Amino acid sequence: MTEHTHKQFDTELEKIRTGVLQMGGLVETQVANALEGLKTGNTALLERVIDGDHRINLLEVEIDEECNQIIAKRQPAAVDLRLVMTVIKAIADLERIGDEAKKIAKAGKRLHSGDHTFSMRVDLSHATGLVLDMLRSALDSFARADVSNWTAITKQDEDVDASFKGTMRQLITFMMEDPRTISSSLEVLFIAKAIERIGDHAKNVAEYVVFLVQGRDVRYAKSVAAEAGNTKA
Amino acid sequence: MTEHTHKQFDTELEKIRTGVLQMGGLVETQVANALEGLKTGNTALLERVIDGDHRINLLEVEIDEECNQIIAKRQPAAVDLRLVMTVIKAIADLERIGDEAKKIAKAGKRLHSGDHTFSMRVDLSHATGLVLDMLRSALDSFARADVSNWTAITKQDEDVDASFKGTMRQLITFMMEDPRTISSSLEVLFIAKAIERIGDHAKNVAEYVVFLVQGRDVRYAKSVAAEAGNTKA
């Protein structure tokens, strides 16, 4: 590689890296706005989230294409290749977080469209705070190529799952006490589920960063252990 | 490239291609078994699905690693590169279909664990038949690098979505009529949702095949149209 080509290559890698962070920032705003609009009944904000989703979709396609170009032209190896692969996977998860934000916004619009004021009755702020924090941490890990957040993120993911189960139990109680709340409770249940899935995707992004930094695939550690157990048996 | 290297390259490409089909076959069996176990209350079959999921996870990691090796060593271009990228994305969706099968199996176990026989009350066989067919079609499109199934798959995906909405309405009615069924109805609702998501993932696989064959990204066609509209305005 000539020095010129080398510089170009660096610029291209920097571009996809920045692309992930830009997309991540947008996605974070979408999630925060969806949850804010849901809480306050600000339907204009919810509309904005719904309309904003396609920008995220297009960013994914754009960055994806840039990654393909880099692979085709530059034959990246070692950490450069891991960066490209990390980017390709991270943007797919970010795009899906965007989808979940859109789902929350749509459900929020339906809930707030009735004649009387809708009250959430369950408190999603704990789970909400956790997944927004996980998303920020995961993007921060990526930006700094630093895996020190990893343990905290997996712990937060467990908290989010536990919080979802608690919300579900609460909603079941409400529905049993007053079956007229069943439809709206289901909307809230799917919102809680969307929040939980945002946590899963944020955790995925953090997993890719471990692969990027350490070159090892930490997904499915349990599967590896199970398979090792089978072989021994 | 020497003829020898060329042959090795072809063998490697064939290996990841076959890997997808092998993984797809496993995933299809997992989904079919989960739904069969759910229907018949065969908890041993459901257990087998739950235990079998880690094999799918490991296959994903294995094929993913092979794809990385090919990119690092062979600098694939044009259709070869598109094949590698298609494989990387397709196995991620297949792995998630595996997760949904596992979720269905776990819910099935909970539903059938009670003292009296559990009856589904809603008929999921239409949606089930559709998603299994979509999955087979998508894998078949990939195997033959043929996009002629694409339109049918998108149509089936719409049917699956409509079917989910119908199931949800039915379940709401049951829950309102008899609030004691709320917990089990929610299990069934999440199963219906898992089936719907299997359809989404199968559609994703079919979308990647369009990219593989035609070199165009058909994801988010609506987003492209929306963005074009914004630019014009």
Side-chain angles (χ1 to χ4, degrees):
Chain A
M1 240 187 237
T2 67
E3 195 172 329
H4 176 70
T5 322
H6 210 93
K7 262 199 180 156
Q8 272 190 332
F9 183 24
D10 280 347
T11 311
E12 286 166 11
L13 289 177
E14 188 52 33
K15 195 171 172 220
I16 56 168
R17 225 180 61 88
T18 318
V20 170
L21 297 174
Q22 187 201 351
M23 192 174 163
L26 263 177
V27 166
E28 201 186 308
T29 307
Q30 288 281 94
V31 174
N33 284 345
L35 294 164
E36 174 68 18
L38 171 71
K39 202 170 155 186
T40 59
N42 182 343
T43 47
L45 189 60
L46 295 173
E47 285 282 0
R48 220 196 303 155
V49 172
I50 296 165
D51 292 344
D53 186 51
H54 65 83
R55 277 184 63 207
I56 292 168
N57 297 344
L58 293 179
L59 261 180
E60 187 198 354
V61 172
E62 203 180 298
I63 301 171
D64 209 33
E65 174 57 24
E66 285 167 0
C67 290
N68 285 355
Q69 291 288 335
I70 291 176
I71 293 172
K73 286 188 337 199
R74 308 290 182 196
Q75 194 173 14
V79 70
D80 295 336
L81 176 57
R82 292 209 303 273
L83 174 64
V84 178
M85 294 329 248
T86 300
V87 169
I88 289 173
K89 287 180 180 170
I91 58 177
D93 279 275
L94 291 176
E95 191 276 324
R96 278 162 193 176
I97 295 179
D99 286 346
E100 300 298 337
K102 186 178 170 184
K103 275 186 216 163
I104 294 171
K106 281 186 163 181
K109 259 187 72 182
R110 286 192 297 268
L111 286 169
H112 288 290
S113 69
D115 289 336
H116 36 55
T117 321
F118 166 75
S119 132
M120 285 285 290
R121 299 214 296 173
V122 290
D123 185 8
L124 300 176
S125 63
H126 178 63
T128 295
L130 281 169
V131 299
L132 278 172
D133 197 49
M134 287 172 76
L135 180 54
R136 264 178 236 121
S137 289
L139 290 168
D140 190 49
S141 297
F142 175 77
R144 296 186 292 112
D146 174 352
V147 297
S148 57
N149 291 338
W150 169 240
T151 317
I153 291 173
T154 53
K155 174 73 185 61
Q156 285 174 312
D157 190 51
E158 286 167 18
D159 290 350
V160 172
D161 292 353
S163 171
F164 172 72
K165 280 181 191 150
T167 301
M168 182 149 92
R169 276 193 300 270
Q170 268 189 294
L171 288 168
I172 290 174
T173 309
F174 292 147
M175 287 189 270
M176 291 181 88
E177 281 170 359
D178 183 358
R180 286 168 307 172
T181 67
I182 287 175
S183 285
S184 63
S185 294
L186 289 185
E187 294 277 13
V188 177
L189 183 63
F190 278 116
I191 290 170
K193 189 76 196 162
I195 294 171
E196 189 240 15
R197 292 193 63 84
I198 291 171
D200 291 340
H201 289 297
K203 188 184 158 210
N204 289 348
V205 172
E207 272 174 352
Y208 307 144
V209 178
V210 179
F211 168 73
L212 170 65
V213 176
Q214 305 186 341
R216 69 193 173 97
D217 201 325
V218 291
R219 296 176 296 174
Y220 323 125
K222 279 184 203 155
S223 297
V224 176
E227 192 70 350
N230 283 349
T231 315
K232 256 186 268 168
Chain B
M1 240 186 236
T2 65
E3 196 173 329
H4 176 69
T5 322
H6 209 93
K7 260 197 183 159
Q8 271 191 332
F9 184 23
D10 280 347
T11 311
E12 287 166 11
L13 289 177
E14 188 51 33
K15 193 170 173 221
I16 55 167
R17 226 180 61 89
T18 318
V20 170
L21 297 174
Q22 187 201 348
M23 190 174 165
L26 262 177
V27 166
E28 201 185 308
T29 307
Q30 287 281 93
V31 173
N33 284 347
L35 294 164
E36 175 68 18
L38 171 71
K39 204 171 154 185
T40 58
N42 181 342
T43 48
L45 189 60
L46 294 173
E47 285 282 2
R48 218 194 307 154
V49 172
I50 296 166
D51 292 343
D53 186 50
H54 66 82
R55 276 184 63 206
I56 292 169
N57 297 343
L58 293 179
L59 261 179
E60 189 199 355
V61 172
E62 201 181 299
I63 301 171
D64 209 36
E65 174 57 26
E66 285 166 0
C67 289
N68 284 355
Q69 291 290 334
I70 291 176
I71 293 173
K73 286 187 339 201
R74 307 292 182 195
Q75 194 173 18
V79 70
D80 294 336
L81 176 57
R82 292 209 302 275
L83 174 64
V84 178
M85 294 328 245
T86 300
V87 169
I88 289 173
K89 287 180 180 169
I91 58 177
D93 279 273
L94 291 176
E95 190 276 324
R96 278 163 193 177
I97 295 178
D99 287 345
E100 301 297 335
K102 187 177 169 184
K103 275 185 216 165
I104 294 171
K106 282 186 162 181
K109 258 188 72 181
R110 287 191 297 268
L111 286 169
H112 288 289
S113 68
D115 289 337
H116 36 56
T117 320
F118 166 74
S119 130
M120 285 287 287
R121 299 216 296 173
V122 290
D123 183 9
L124 299 176
S125 62
H126 178 61
T128 295
L130 280 170
V131 300
L132 279 171
D133 197 48
M134 287 172 76
L135 180 54
R136 262 177 238 123
S137 288
L139 291 168
D140 189 49
S141 296
F142 176 78
R144 295 185 293 112
D146 174 352
V147 298
S148 57
N149 290 339
W150 169 240
T151 317
I153 290 174
T154 53
K155 175 71 187 61
Q156 285 174 311
D157 189 52
E158 285 167 19
D159 289 351
V160 172
D161 291 353
S163 171
F164 171 72
K165 280 180 191 151
T167 301
M168 180 149 92
R169 275 192 300 270
Q170 267 189 293
L171 288 168
I172 290 175
T173 309
F174 293 147
M175 288 189 268
M176 291 180 87
E177 281 170 0
D178 183 358
R180 287 168 306 172
T181 66
I182 287 177
S183 285
S184 63
S185 294
L186 288 186
E187 293 277 13
V188 177
L189 183 62
F190 279 116
I191 290 170
K193 189 75 195 163
I195 294 170
E196 190 239 14
R197 293 193 62 85
I198 291 170
D200 290 342
H201 289 296
K203 189 184 157 211
N204 288 348
V205 173
E207 273 174 353
Y208 308 143
V209 178
V210 178
F211 167 73
L212 169 65
V213 176
Q214 304 186 343
R216 69 192 172 96
D217 201 324
V218 290
R219 295 176 298 175
Y220 323 125
K222 278 185 202 155
S223 296
V224 176
E227 193 70 351
N230 284 348
T231 317
K232 257 187 265 165

